[in-house]
Amino acid sequence: MEQITSQSYEACTLCPRMCRVDRRHTPGFCGCLSILKGARSALHHWEEPCISGSLGSGTVFFTGCTLRCCFCQNFQISQEGLGKELSSAQLAKIFLSLQAQGAHNINLVTATQFLPHILEALVLARPSLTIPVVYNSSGYERKETINALDGLVDIYLPDLKYWDPILSQRYSHASDYFQTASKAILQMIRQTKGPVFDPKSGLLTAGTIIRHMVLPGAKEDSIKLLRWIKENLPPNQYLISLLSQYTPLYHSGQYPEINRRITSYEYNKVVEEAIRLGLTDGYMQKKSSAKQEYTPPFNFQGLDV
């Protein structure tokens, strides 16, 4: 089994890009050196209800990303490098600080490019950490990454963005997105098995939630994804979260077909197909414009420990 340590940065293969850059000296495809950077740590109230609960999810946003989505709502940190340097020990203290604030879980947002640091921090925090750990991901992961997180992550929250490689290449520079993400999500489900809820609070304590955001003009791609999910994933072993919050941001203006919000017709057709397929375990977001809270200010809140 592939070992992930600080030496993994020296010829980096942490993500499916496998760029093998020595990140001690040169940024990888993710845009990051081997120095851990984060942009915000705070209680976040806009995840799925079983994640956010009443007090919020203890969310840590990391700098960089292994995709280059032209519509990214977090582009300041994913694409433009905004972030504050941290050590693994500091990150472990941040986890425990969030727990002390009442967080229902620790929510790691786009963390793969810093996986050696993440593993170290989780091991350091684990003796005192009593709440679940959520791995909030684009879904574009190597199976080796998911294997390395076994026993340290309780809940996976991956996107499944595209079925069509033409769309994934055009909008995220990853023609192999579906091929890669579908295998990673299968591995996540094998690891977590079926969803487990706390009987008192109703919060998710273990499991996998597959997110899909419907894109303008791409309802047929969404429908193909739903049919793949129905035909290929083990029943009752995952939850679905359909999102209608797409807002044209960042470089969306360069792609006229997605430089708009989705219509009610588009979203409703996808919801109808999910219902027809029996994919009703999970969440279907109400059709509305994205709220400002979905994109929090990346002002280094909560990173001073």
Side-chain angles (χ1 to χ4, degrees):
M1 183 179 293
E2 183 176 335
Q3 296 296 310
I4 295 177
T5 68
S6 59
Q7 291 182 327
S8 300
Y9 289 126
E10 296 178 15
C12 190
T13 59
L14 293 173
C15 86
R17 303 290 181 180
M18 303 284 282
C19 61
R20 300 186 184 276
V21 168
D22 186 345
R23 287 175 51 198
R24 295 173 300 172
H25 309 294
T26 306
F29 184 94
C30 59
C32 299
L33 294 167
S34 59
I35 301 167
L36 175 65
K37 292 175 70 177
R40 178 182 168 89
S41 164
L43 299 179
H44 190 55
H45 297 275
W46 298 103
E47 306 288 25
E48 285 72 9
C50 67
I51 300 290
S52 292
S54 59
L55 299 177
S57 176
T59 305
V60 184
F61 290 88
F62 295 96
T63 302
C65 187
T66 62
L67 291 180
R68 289 182 180 166
C69 299
C70 62
F71 50 80
C72 182
Q73 65 182 17
N74 297 344
F75 63 89
Q76 297 99 328
I77 60 172
S78 68
Q79 309 293 333
E80 297 180 350
L82 181 68
K84 179 179 179 178
E85 294 183 7
L86 300 167
S87 68
S88 300
Q90 286 173 313
L91 183 58
K93 289 179 180 178
I94 288 169
F95 296 162
L96 298 179
S97 173
L98 288 166
Q99 178 173 264
Q101 294 171 50
H104 295 302
N105 43 65
I106 300 301
N107 187 347
L108 308 175
V109 181
T110 317
T112 297
Q113 60 273 16
F114 297 119
L115 192 59
H117 285 94
I118 301 301
L119 296 175
E120 289 177 4
L122 288 173
V123 169
L124 287 170
R126 182 57 77 178
S128 302
L129 201 60
T130 60
I131 55 178
V133 173
V134 181
Y135 205 73
N136 190 332
S137 160
S138 70
Y140 190 59
E141 306 286 1
R142 297 182 65 209
K143 289 197 297 182
E144 290 81 1
T145 297
I146 309 308
N147 290 338
L149 293 165
D150 193 5
L152 294 172
V153 165
D154 305 285
I155 299 167
Y156 287 102
L157 191 56
D159 292 335
L160 189 53
K161 294 178 182 288
Y162 313 96
W163 183 85
D164 188 339
I166 295 175
L167 292 183
S168 61
Q169 176 63 30
R170 180 166 174 78
Y171 301 141
S172 297
H173 299 274
S175 60
D176 63 338
Y177 177 84
F178 175 76
Q179 176 185 356
T180 302
S182 59
K183 292 176 182 177
I185 288 171
L186 274 165
Q187 192 71 6
M188 294 173 191
I189 292 170
R190 291 190 190 106
Q191 215 175 85
T192 58
K193 303 180 174 64
V196 178
F197 293 89
D198 182 279
K200 293 183 179 179
S201 67
L203 295 173
L204 191 68
T205 60
T208 299
I209 304 178
I210 303 168
R211 282 177 167 169
H212 175 68
M213 183 170 68
V214 182
L215 297 177
K219 70 180 188 304
E220 294 303 322
D221 195 67
S222 297
I223 288 170
K224 289 175 181 177
L225 272 181
L226 292 176
R227 291 174 180 169
W228 179 87
I229 288 170
K230 176 67 176 180
E231 294 169 3
N232 293 276
L233 298 185
N236 306 315
Q237 297 292 293
Y238 57 90
L239 302 173
I240 292 285
S241 181
L242 287 179
L243 305 177
S244 64
Q245 69 191 54
Y246 176 83
T247 303
L249 292 169
Y250 195 39
H251 292 316
S252 297
Q254 298 176 15
Y255 304 86
E257 71 274 17
I258 61 169
N259 194 30
R260 61 172 175 86
R261 293 189 172 94
I262 64 168
T263 64
S264 295
Y265 173 79
E266 288 173 315
Y267 185 63
N268 289 341
K269 293 300 286 185
V270 176
V271 170
E272 288 169 9
E273 182 66 8
I275 294 170
R276 187 189 73 79
L277 292 169
L279 298 175
T280 53
D281 289 338
Y283 305 94
M284 296 180 186
Q285 192 177 49
K286 292 181 180 179
K287 172 67 179 70
S288 63
S289 298
K291 298 181 179 180
Q292 183 178 1
E293 292 90 339
Y294 292 159
T295 308
F298 298 119
N299 55 6
F300 310 145
Q301 177 180 346
L303 300 182
D304 292 322
V305 291

